[in-house]
Every structure is written in structure tokens, then in C-alpha cells.
Amino acid sequence: MDNWSLVSMCVLLGLTTRWAVSFNSYSGASKPPMFGDYEAQRHWQEVAYNLPVHEWYLNTTDNNLSYWGLDYPPLTAYHSLLCAYVAKLINPAWVELHTSRGYESSSHKLFMRTTVLIADILLYIPAVFLYCFYLSNGSSKKKVATALCILLYPGLILIDYGHFQYNNVSLGLALWGVVGLGSGWDLLGSLAFTLALNYKQMELYHSLPFFCYLLGKCIKQGLVGRGLFLLLKISLSVLATFALCWLPFLSEPQQVLQVLHRLFPVARGLFEDKVANTWCSLNVLIKIKTLLSRDAQLLLSLALTFLFVLPSSIKLLTKPTMWQFKLALVNSSLAFFLFSFQVHEKSILLPALPHRLSAVLCLACSMLPLLLKDGLLLPYAVTSLAFLFLCVYLLSALHRSSQELHLGSCYNLTRGCLSARNFSLLVKCAFGISMAAMAVLSTASAALEPPARLPDLFPVLVSIFSCMHFLASLLYFNFVQLTEPPSRRGQKKTN
Amino acid sequence: MASPMNSDSGWFLALALGVSFIKCLLINAYHSTDFEVHRNWLAVTHSMPVSKWYYEATSEWTLDYPPFFAWFEYGLSHVAAYFDKEMLVVRNLNYASPATVLFQRLSVIVTDVVFIYAIKEFNSWSCAIYRCCKCLREDKGKELLWKPSFILATLLLWNFGLIIVDHIHFQYNGFLFGVLLLSVARHFQSKTDGSVHWKSFSPFRFVVLGSIVLTTFALSFGPFIALGQIPQVLSRLFPFKRGLCHAYWAPNVWALYNIVDKVLSMLGVKLGMLDINKLPKATMTGGLVQEFQHTVLPSVSPLVTLICTLLSILPALFHMWYRPSGGRGFLRCIVICALGSFMFGWHVHEKAILMAILPLSWLAVEHREDARTFLILSTTGHFSLFPLLFTAQELPIKILLMLLFTIFSFTSLKKLFRGRLVSSVEATYLLGLIPLAVICELVYPLTPWHHTLPFIPLLLTSIYCALGVTYSFIRLYISLLTVPSTTSKGKCQ
């Protein structure tokens, strides 16, 4: 009885925060001719509703791909089609072919914001609670507290309800995948993840852990017996799901290639705009974009990405437990974000482990230049501070023993030169410095004018700082994952 | 594993900060004409000399609060100058630059610190009361979420009505109510048992109290008395020309009176007893504030409402005078006076229900019957505030926050008093608010009557809630007259 009231209050708090953030501006508001991501989503509704399926990804007279052409997999297009049907009922002018370009009104904004909210209510929020209640340890109150913290991740709220996107759909589906796998429903879990992948290709960041975990599990069950059967079941269902999603495009191979071309724009170069990954940060010192040819860039990024993702994947393959799986998810997505091709700021969104508070906050900070452009400084400041305070208070993030923080392995390394007390003090200092740096960077970006010679000073500084932070996180989580002993019976698994 | 919320003193800060963060997120929400009202007052007090404050009429929103509020706005205006000087120009009507909005919203959030401090003091006074007697609902030994002090703090800090009236609609009720709460807490903090004995009456104390009150009034009205402007000030403070009811009827006795009059007049026309041509047109809830006459029942004048109000609160006052029962009795009297004034007052605003709901929160965590009354009054009272936020964008916010507060109040009080609190009839009445909300917010706007009869949802809300509010008033009086007064030690105050 207590649980449902606590859960419902958390959900209400989460929804209130989201809707309050949605009062603010969105990407590209009142900025013709291109506007922003909000207009892109509206345009996809227009395209999906008015044009036949085989023209969605093609450059035609009715569909000018240079004006926000579809660059997400088919499930996004189907979702846009669904929204377009509703939009047509309310006000046909919203999705009228050609004439609805740049359409902006308060009622349209309300409609678009509502579609994001509905996706949250149906997909993301239930997944969060299932994840916390079935896949994490602790008392029920602690689980509810964890769920509340996850629900209030500033990055996701600001991007989905501020900037405007539907990351909650793909992340929600991916989280359903994790829940499925964690509960032993491998088939449903892999189906959910396949759907997530077919919604946003960024979910490739999480695909390797899913693959390695399931393969590892099959191997453990014996590749000549039940394991093989499981492997076949999963493979067939994944392929079938892909086929179903891509069905309208499977009639000709040209279509499939065109869609893939839209999803993976290798022609656009190593990176665009300021983003907190290694290539952008490296570019400050060495102009890689001009030094290397496009093909060389592609190869370099592929090589480094796989290099950094390989250890974690192999470890997961050999030891397919839920804890390893969760760590691998973080490691894989960080590696992909830091080293892969054409990464955008928003790709860093992932349900990070709650007690890596600084990483989650760094996530939001790394998107600050984008948020400032959208006029979202106030919600950024409020949600980040609220999240910091909530986590510190509710989860006692700073007061956990080093054992619970899984710094055990780190501590063993430094045991020679540091006592336990000094070690936890060091951790707290590092956290404090990290927070202070983010505060300084945020304030400077918002309040100060950059010098005329370096107009992009603050976005670059933010990107470099965030990049270093993510690199440190990548190394840390890889260390934690790889140093876990082969088998530990009765190991306490926290989050 | 460390349990969450393990620090005893940290939870209050967490609650206060949490609600403040929500308030900050609401900075860019809809604001009503009250926003312009307060901007105008900032401008008037900043730009005009004191002698012109109550005469200034460039804007239709003239100064209609007492002088201390004017001085408060004057003080704020000096800070406002750092945000946007243009807002302090009287001629800049409806000026609402982002800096203006930010400043005004922040001023409400920051002055709420007074409210937060008052709740802390109030809570510590309550804890002192609990500690001195063997109460059933002692704080210690209980899990945090179900401690009376935690529940009370949440009911006050996260009060739905206060959040939407102060931080969306735009007003300064939190700050003002904090001052009231602080005065109550301070008064009783000096005595551990909170009682005021007749025996301790002395002419000296009476004179001291009287002179404090008179000095305060003198400080406030002094400049205007010196300028000879008292009639003008009073006419601005008490605009009796505005009519028995506000444009949206507050859910009080007069709303019920109006509807009975309307029903009787319609019946009269149907039965041929009244001539339809002689009836005044329906202008009662058209959105404009006007005087109007009743058709069948006798018209109500300001004097009548004053007499009714006095009659409604005098029994409570006498009861407190002759049978004092310490802090609890005093608060109960405050609640009854506030609710009586709401029920029978002239031109009552629906926001005034908060003046009854907020002090009732303390009684609710103390006494089972009061908890029951609180649940009914707060739910209906808060629902009656819905028409204040009529924009589509704010609809989810008001529903989400209302649900949050209602779920919390019901589950926490139920846990505190171990068992069902409201009866089946009361529960059915409260559940009836859900279809009412669906009709008023979702169904009615889609009907053709939405344009011809726009006041119907307001009417329905007002009448339905008036029933609950009236019922709560009666319950409060019954509990006042039946709860025995306690003066002996060892019993809870």
C-alpha cells in the first residue's frame, strides 16, 4: 500500500518536472529558414503523412532531403506517421505538404510536447520503475528513491522537453530490453532492444553488450544443446523484427541502401559542431579533419572505437552476468561516443548508474552550448542543481563506503600509499573539483562574452572538459568491469 | 546499506529546496493579470511620491492593499531596478520582459523564505508540545515519512493551492501567511503548554498589547492620516461597488444562494409566476465584475454579509474566550474565522480558501476528526482553484500537482491515524470531482455551448465545491463545540 503511493508520487514529480521544462523554448524557435529539431520532427510528420512510404528517404520534388530529410530508422517514421494522424484530426494545417513548413503556434507546441509526454508515460517511465524494482537491490524505499533520481536526469528532460526530441522512446525501449534480459526473458528483451535500434541508430552504442551478453549466455548453456536453441530463437526473432520494421523498403535493395546512407552519413566527416568527444577535442591541437582523408578518418574512428569496446565485450562474453552487462552498457556507449563517427551531443544520453553522479551531471553540462542556443539556461540550472541535491541527499552518494562504490579494486591499487579514509577523501575532493569546474564553466558560458579572437571558446572548453571527464569514466568503468574476479558466489550486486 | 533520508534535520531542507526547485521551473508558466498588478505597484511606489500612491490611476489596477504591502513593493522596486528599469515606469502598461518576469517570480520564491522559516518555527513549537506529553502520535520511533512533523511540513510547504496561486497565477500569499504563522508560533513558544490563562490577564498586558497594535497601525497608515487620505485609502481597500460575488463565484454560501435564486427564477418563469421580460439579464458569471440584483430571493447588501460573517464567527470567539484550550483551540478559532469570512464575506475571492486550509493542516496532523475535515476542505478548496488556471498549457501542471498533494495528504494522514478517515458518502463526493474535472476541462470545451454559455463550468465547479466547503465549516463547528477543552498537564494541547 505504501509502495504504490510513493511510486505514484514519484511519477507525478517526474511528469511535473518534465512538463514545467516544456514551457520553455525549443530548438530553432522563430529562427527561419531552417529552424531546428522541433521543425525537423514536425516535417517528418508532414512527409510521413503525405508521401508514400518508398519516397520517405528519397530526394524527390516533394521531398527535399536537404530540408531536414529523415535520418532515423523506419520506426521513427512510423511514429511520426502516427502523430501526423492525430495532428490531422486537430489541425490539418500542421502537416499540410509544403505549406506547413516552419509552422509555429502555441497550440502546435502543446501538441508536440504532449506527444513526448505520452511516449514517456507509455514507455520510459514504466521501464524505469521495472528496472529499479526488479534489477536493483535494497529496500523498497531505496528503489523508489533510485527511480526518482533516474526520472529526474537533467540531460534527458532538457533534450526531450526542451530542445525537443524523442530519446525517451529509444531509451525506454532499450531499458525494456535490459529489464527483459535481467528478468530472464531473453527473447522479449532482445525484441525490445531491436525495436529501440530500429527507432534510433544511436542504440548501436548499446548493441554490442546485448549481443555479447546473449551470445555468452548461449555459450554457457552449451552450444550443442539448449544454448544453440536459444541462439537460434533469438537470432530468428531479431531478424524477423528487423524484417517487419524494414518491410516497405525491402522490395528493392536500392531502397535499403538509401536508408542506410541516410542513417550513416559518412560523407559528413568525423564530427560536426562542438561535441564532447576525442576527435573534436583533439582537433583543437591537431587538425585531423584536414590532415586525414575522409576514408582514413572513418577507418581511424572505427579502429579506435572497436579497440576501446573490445576488452569490455570480451569480458562480458566470458562472464554474462547482469552486473557485467550493466557495466558493459556504460563502457560501450562511452567508447562509441568518444571515438566514433559523426557523433552528436545528444548521443551521450544513457541511463547511467546513479552513483556516478558526476558523470550524469557532466552529461548535462556537455550539452550546455546547445541548451544556451535554445534558451534553456534556466531549466538547465534548476534541473542540474535539483538532481545534484536529490542524489546527494537521497542516495547519500558521497557517503557510501568505498566497497559499495566498487572502488574496491581501485582502493587495492592505492592501498600501499593511501589509507581508507584518505582514499574516500580523495574521491570526495575529485567530485568537488569536478562540480566546481562544471559550475564555473556553466556560469562563464552563460554570463561572459568570449574574446573576439576565440568566439567558440566556451563551447570548446566545455567539450574538452566533458571529454576528459568521459574518458576518465571510460577508464574507470573498464577497470571495474575487467578487474572483477571470474566467479564470486553470493556477491552483493548493487545497481 | 545507508537508508535514504537518514539525516533528521536534512529532510526539512530537502522538502524546502525541492519545492523551491519546482517553483523555479514554473517561472515561465502562465501568469495572470495579477502579474501586471504587482508590476504596476512596483512602478507606482517607485516613481510616485507617497502622497500619490492611493490616487494613481494610470493603470486600471490601482493599489488596493494596505500600506505595509505598498512599502513592501517599494522595497522590492529598488531590487527591480537592477533587473529591468523599464518595469518601473508607470506608463509601461503590461510590460513583461523576460527580466521582469524573472525578477517578479524570483521575488515570490525568495520571500517564501519567510514562509519556510515560519513553518520550521511552527514545527519546532509543535515538537515541543509533543515532547511534553505522552501523545499517541509521538514523533520519535516512527519512520520519517509518517512522522507528524514531516507530514505537516509537507502539507504546508507543498500546498497545492499556494504553489499555483503564488507561483503561477502570481501573488505573495506565502510570504504573508508566513508572517501570520510566525506570529502564532512566537506567541506560543514562550509558553510550553501553549495555554493562555484568564488568570494571567492584567490591565498592563492589555495596554501593552493594545499599544503594539495601535503603533503598528499608526506606522502603516500614519503617513496617509497625516495627508488626510484615509477615505481614499479605505475606498481603494474595500471596493464595495464590485458586487456580491467575484466574476467566478467563490464556493461559499452566496454561490449557493445565487444558484437557488436562479433555479427559483427559472421555475417561476416556467410556472408562469414571473414575467421573463422583467428579469435582469444573466450577467453573474459572464467574466465581468458587476453589481447585480437577485430576482426571487432578497438581494444581499454588504451590511448583510458583514452581519452574517460576524454571526458565523462570534460563537467560536466566545468559545475561545470562555473556554480557552491553548494553541490548538486558538488555531481552530483562526480556521473558523477564516472560513466564516470566506463563507459569508462580500466579494470573496476563491483564493481566500487558502487562509482556512493552511492553518487547518496543523490540526489535521493532531486530531483524527480534523484530519477528516482537512481532507474534505483541502480537496474541494484546491479543486475550486482550478478555474484560475484556464490555459491549456497549465492543465497538466494543475492536475499533476493536485494529484500529488491529494495522494500525499490522504495516504499520510491515513497512515498517521491508522485507518479510513473519510466516510463512504464523503469519499463518493470527493471522487465526484474527477468526472466534474473531465467535464469542465475536456468535454465542455468541445461542445457548442462553450461559446454561448462559457460560465457553465465555472458555475458547476463553484456549486459543487460550495457543498464541500459548507460541510467542512459545519464539521469544524461541531468539533469545536464537542472537543473538550484541556487545561490540565499531561494531556496534549
Side-chain angles (χ1 to χ4, degrees):
Chain A
M1 191 56 178
D2 296 343
N3 262 355
W4 83 254
S5 60
L6 283 174
V7 166
S8 41
M9 286 193 280
C10 286
V11 170
L12 290 168
L13 269 172
L15 291 175
T16 306
T17 313
R18 282 159 166 71
W19 194 255
V21 169
S22 81
F23 290 162
N24 295 280
S25 182
Y26 49 79
S27 155
S30 313
K31 289 190 188 139
M34 284 303 280
F35 303 94
D37 271 344
Y38 176 90
E39 166 63 12
Q41 299 283 351
R42 188 215 57 74
H43 180 67
W44 295 343
Q45 292 173 13
E46 172 197 339
V47 163
Y49 187 82
N50 292 297
L51 301 178
V53 181
H54 60 266
E55 280 186 35
W56 288 355
Y57 290 90
L58 290 178
N59 211 357
T60 63
T61 41
D62 280 334
N63 187 15
N64 182 4
L65 287 182
S66 59
Y67 185 81
W68 301 115
L70 255 175
D71 52 7
Y72 283 142
L75 219 56
T76 295
Y78 302 144
H79 181 212
S80 299
L81 181 63
L82 184 66
C83 294
Y85 273 117
V86 180
K88 193 82 179 175
L89 280 173
I90 304 172
N91 185 350
W94 291 347
V95 287
E96 216 43 69
L97 191 60
H98 302 315
T99 49
S100 63
R101 270 206 195 177
Y103 191 100
E104 288 185 294
S105 77
S106 51
S107 48
H108 184 245
K109 181 183 172 194
L110 206 61
F111 164 72
M112 297 290 271
R113 297 292 197 204
T114 312
T115 55
V116 185
L117 193 75
I118 290 174
D120 247 337
I121 294 171
L122 292 177
L123 276 174
Y124 185 70
I125 293 178
V128 168
F129 279 99
L130 284 174
Y131 173 84
C132 289
F133 274 92
Y134 294 112
L135 296 186
S136 61
N137 297 346
S139 68
S140 59
K141 290 220 165 41
K142 177 160 178 290
K143 291 181 184 184
V144 174
T146 310
L148 182 63
C149 288
I150 296 179
L151 277 185
L152 294 179
Y153 278 164
L156 188 57
I157 298 179
L158 290 167
I159 288 297
D160 277 6
Y161 288 87
H163 184 81
F164 199 90
Q165 283 210 329
Y166 290 100
N167 294 297
N168 50 8
V169 177
S170 58
L171 285 174
L173 285 168
L175 203 52
W176 276 104
V178 173
V179 169
L181 257 54
S183 312
W185 301 330
D186 297 325
L187 203 61
L188 289 174
S190 48
L191 275 178
F193 182 72
T194 314
L195 288 173
L197 197 53
N198 277 302
Y199 192 88
K200 277 199 184 202
Q201 67 273 37
M202 256 84 82
E203 286 300 324
L204 275 174
Y205 290 18
H206 295 144
S207 56
L208 266 177
F210 271 87
F211 178 74
C212 293
Y213 175 81
L214 288 169
L215 187 62
K217 206 170 167 187
C218 292
I219 294 172
K220 272 230 146 44
Q221 287 187 2
L223 265 181
V224 284
R226 281 173 50 214
L228 183 66
F229 181 60
L230 182 65
L231 185 64
L232 282 172
K233 249 195 338 184
I234 294 173
S235 319
L236 280 170
S237 50
V238 165
L239 285 168
T241 315
F242 262 101
L244 253 164
C245 291
W246 290 66
L247 197 62
F249 307 100
L250 292 176
S251 50
E252 19 172 316
Q254 201 60 18
Q255 274 280 341
V256 178
L257 282 172
Q258 171 65 4
V259 178
L260 285 173
H261 178 73
R262 291 295 305 164
L263 297 185
F264 303 103
V266 291
R268 277 159 74 176
L270 207 51
F271 63 87
E272 263 176 12
D273 224 347
K274 310 287 167 292
V275 70
N277 78 350
T278 37
W279 304 127
C280 184
S281 306
L282 209 57
N283 204 53
V284 174
L285 299 166
I286 320 164
K287 301 281 171 225
I288 345 165
K289 265 184 108 164
T290 42
L291 270 177
L292 298 172
S293 72
R294 216 172 44 222
D295 288 336
Q297 288 171 22
L298 186 58
L299 249 91
L300 180 66
S301 81
L302 270 174
L304 273 176
T305 310
F306 274 105
L307 184 70
F308 274 89
V309 121
L310 212 56
S312 148
S313 306
I314 292 176
K315 177 78 187 196
L316 177 60
L317 204 61
T318 56
K319 189 183 178 188
T321 62
M322 269 317 283
W323 178 234
Q324 282 282 324
F325 177 57
K326 289 179 196 175
L327 284 170
L329 280 173
V330 177
N331 284 324
S332 168
S333 44
L334 275 172
F336 268 91
F337 177 79
L338 285 167
F339 296 104
S340 81
F341 213 74
Q342 263 295 311
V343 170
H344 291 264
E345 314 91 334
K346 305 155 220 111
S347 316
I348 193 55
L349 290 171
L350 50 102
L353 301 172
H355 61 229
R356 277 303 283 171
L357 175 57
S358 59
V360 174
L361 283 170
C362 191
L363 203 145
C365 185
S366 70
M367 294 187 293
L368 180 61
L370 180 74
L371 298 170
L372 281 175
K373 237 189 335 185
D374 294 339
L376 294 167
L377 174 63
L378 179 69
Y380 161 77
V382 175
T383 49
S384 303
L385 284 171
F387 181 74
L388 170 65
F389 178 75
L390 188 73
C391 281
V392 168
Y393 177 74
L394 273 186
L395 301 180
S396 307
L398 292 174
H399 297 286
R400 290 252 185 103
S401 67
S402 50
Q403 177 111 56
E404 289 171 8
L405 269 174
H406 293 275
L407 286 167
S409 340
C410 282
Y411 174 60
N412 283 333
L413 266 184
T414 57
R415 201 167 37 176
C417 36
L418 286 173
S419 69
R421 207 164 53 90
N422 286 342
F423 183 71
S424 71
L425 200 66
L426 189 70
V427 168
K428 282 184 202 165
C429 275
F431 179 79
I433 292 171
S434 174
M435 292 295 110
M438 279 188 239
V440 166
L441 277 172
S442 304
T443 319
S445 300
L448 299 176
E449 280 295 317
R453 286 182 306 121
L454 306 163
D456 287 327
L457 177 66
F458 294 126
V460 168
L461 280 176
V462 167
S463 301
I464 294 176
F465 169 77
S466 311
C467 176
M468 289 192 322
H469 201 116
F470 294 141
L471 267 168
S473 300
L474 178 69
L475 292 170
Y476 164 73
F477 280 115
N478 263 300
F479 185 76
V480 171
Q481 185 183 359
L482 298 172
T483 54
E484 206 192 354
S487 68
R488 269 158 72 164
R489 302 224 85 125
Q491 179 200 351
K492 188 167 65 170
K493 285 190 294 188
T494 42
N495 288 57
Chain B
M1 180 107 40
S3 67
M5 299 175 278
N6 50 8
S7 146
D8 273 336
S9 53
W11 62 260
F12 187 81
L13 184 65
L15 282 176
L17 271 179
V19 77
S20 303
F21 283 131
I22 298 273
K23 291 171 188 173
C24 287
L25 284 178
L26 293 173
I27 283 177
N28 283 324
Y30 153 83
H31 51 79
S32 68
T33 47
D34 271 350
F35 180 88
E36 166 60 13
V37 168
H38 285 91
R39 187 214 60 78
N40 183 47
W41 294 352
L42 280 173
V44 165
T45 53
H46 190 86
S47 323
M48 306 266 142
V50 179
S51 56
K52 292 265 190 316
W53 285 2
Y54 283 93
Y55 280 93
E56 177 54 46
T58 308
S59 162
E60 59 182 310
W61 310 115
T62 54
L63 194 49
D64 56 4
Y65 278 1
F68 269 166
F69 198 86
W71 289 110
F72 168 69
E73 291 279 5
Y74 178 68
L76 279 180
S77 67
H78 290 289
V79 184
Y82 292 105
F83 280 76
D84 187 346
K85 284 198 160 55
E86 292 298 311
M87 78 172 101
L88 299 171
V89 176
V90 180
R91 272 189 322 277
N92 281 347
L93 298 181
N94 295 310
Y95 186 76
S97 70
T100 310
V101 172
L102 184 68
F103 168 72
Q104 294 245 67
R105 293 285 199 203
L106 281 178
S107 68
V108 186
I109 297 171
V110 168
T111 51
D112 262 1
V113 162
V114 175
F115 182 54
I116 293 170
Y117 174 67
I119 296 172
K120 193 150 200 342
E121 290 295 298
F122 203 67
N123 241 339
S124 64
W125 164 59
S126 314
C127 284
I129 302 269
Y130 291 135
R131 270 199 290 275
C132 81
C133 64
K134 299 279 178 279
C135 231
L136 275 175
R137 285 168 298 289
E138 257 180 44
D139 251 21
K140 66 172 186 196
K142 271 205 157 67
E143 209 193 296
L144 174 70
L145 283 182
W146 314 124
K147 283 188 188 181
S149 50
F150 178 85
I151 296 173
L152 177 63
T154 312
L155 289 177
L156 288 171
L157 283 169
W158 286 75
N159 184 288
F160 165 77
L162 212 52
I163 293 176
I164 66 165
V165 170
D166 274 12
H167 301 278
I168 300 183
H169 184 84
F170 197 88
Q171 284 209 329
Y172 288 92
N173 296 302
F175 160 69
L176 295 167
F177 191 74
V179 174
L180 171 69
L181 212 54
L182 210 54
S183 62
V184 172
R186 282 278 179 266
H187 177 71
F188 287 106
Q189 261 168 358
S190 49
K191 305 171 192 311
T192 49
D193 63 1
S195 62
V196 178
H197 297 289
W198 178 252
K199 292 194 281 288
S200 65
F201 175 77
S202 71
F204 176 70
R205 278 187 80 213
F206 184 74
V207 166
V208 167
L209 276 171
S211 49
I212 289 174
V213 173
L214 283 172
T215 316
T216 314
F217 267 95
L219 275 171
S220 167
F221 284 90
F224 302 97
I225 298 172
L227 289 163
Q229 290 183 354
I230 288 301
Q232 171 66 4
V233 173
L234 289 175
S235 74
R236 286 279 176 94
L237 260 54
F238 303 104
F240 287 112
K241 275 259 174 286
R242 281 198 191 166
L244 175 66
C245 289
H246 190 47
Y248 159 56
W249 300 348
N252 62 7
V253 158
W254 305 125
L256 294 171
Y257 192 83
N258 287 343
I259 200 69
V260 166
D261 181 67
K262 252 234 157 312
V263 166
L264 286 175
S265 72
M266 273 161 48
L267 273 174
V269 167
K270 274 245 156 57
L271 296 172
M273 293 197 295
L274 289 170
D275 184 1
I276 192 164
N277 294 319
K278 295 223 184 77
L279 296 177
K281 288 182 70 168
T283 52
M284 284 186 264
T285 50
L288 299 168
V289 175
Q290 299 169 355
E291 286 193 68
F292 60 87
Q293 305 293 323
H294 290 101
T295 44
V296 177
L297 298 173
S299 285
V300 179
S301 70
L303 188 62
V304 170
T305 62
L306 180 66
I307 295 170
C308 289
T309 310
L310 284 172
L311 284 176
S312 70
I313 65 176
L314 273 171
L317 291 170
F318 276 129
H319 189 268
M320 188 180 67
W321 182 262
Y322 286 112
R323 302 176 77 188
S325 47
R328 193 201 292 173
F330 179 65
L331 265 174
R332 190 182 302 280
C333 197
I334 284 185
V335 175
I336 289 177
C337 290
L339 202 50
S341 313
F342 180 85
M343 297 285 292
F344 296 99
W346 177 267
H347 200 81
V348 171
H349 284 242
E350 61 289 337
K351 310 175 206 94
I353 195 71
L354 292 174
M355 298 305 295
I357 294 176
L358 288 166
L360 188 56
S361 315
W362 189 83
L363 295 170
V365 301
E366 248 275 282
H367 197 240
R368 191 193 186 86
E369 284 307 305
D370 290 329
R372 188 172 159 187
T373 312
F374 173 79
L375 288 176
I376 300 167
L377 184 65
S378 66
T379 314
T380 46
H382 286 157
F383 186 81
S384 72
L385 296 172
F386 267 32
L388 276 178
L389 302 184
F390 51 83
T391 47
Q393 190 182 240
E394 275 65 32
L395 176 64
I397 286 283
K398 71 185 184 195
I399 291 177
L400 291 169
L401 285 175
M402 172 92 184
L403 280 173
L404 184 65
F405 184 82
T406 313
I407 290 177
F408 176 78
S409 55
F410 271 86
T411 47
S412 61
L413 289 174
K414 197 166 153 178
K415 181 91 175 175
L416 188 64
F417 293 104
R418 287 187 212 114
R420 262 187 86 178
L421 283 172
V422 292
S423 70
S424 315
V425 177
E426 289 160 356
T428 316
Y429 168 78
L430 291 175
L431 284 171
L433 288 170
I434 299 175
L436 181 64
V438 169
I439 293 170
C440 293
E441 305 283 354
L442 298 170
V443 173
Y444 195 81
L446 299 172
T447 62
W449 304 305
H450 176 57
H451 297 290
T452 48
L453 302 167
F455 58 85
I456 294 289
L458 302 178
L459 196 85
L460 289 173
T461 310
S462 173
I463 302 299
Y464 195 88
C465 294
L467 296 170
V469 172
T470 314
Y471 176 69
S472 307
F473 185 61
I474 297 169
R475 278 191 57 84
L476 274 170
Y477 249 114
I478 293 173
S479 71
L480 174 82
L481 300 170
T482 52
V483 165
S485 74
T486 52
T487 47
S488 58
K489 282 189 184 167
K491 272 211 161 182
C492 289
Q493 293 296 341

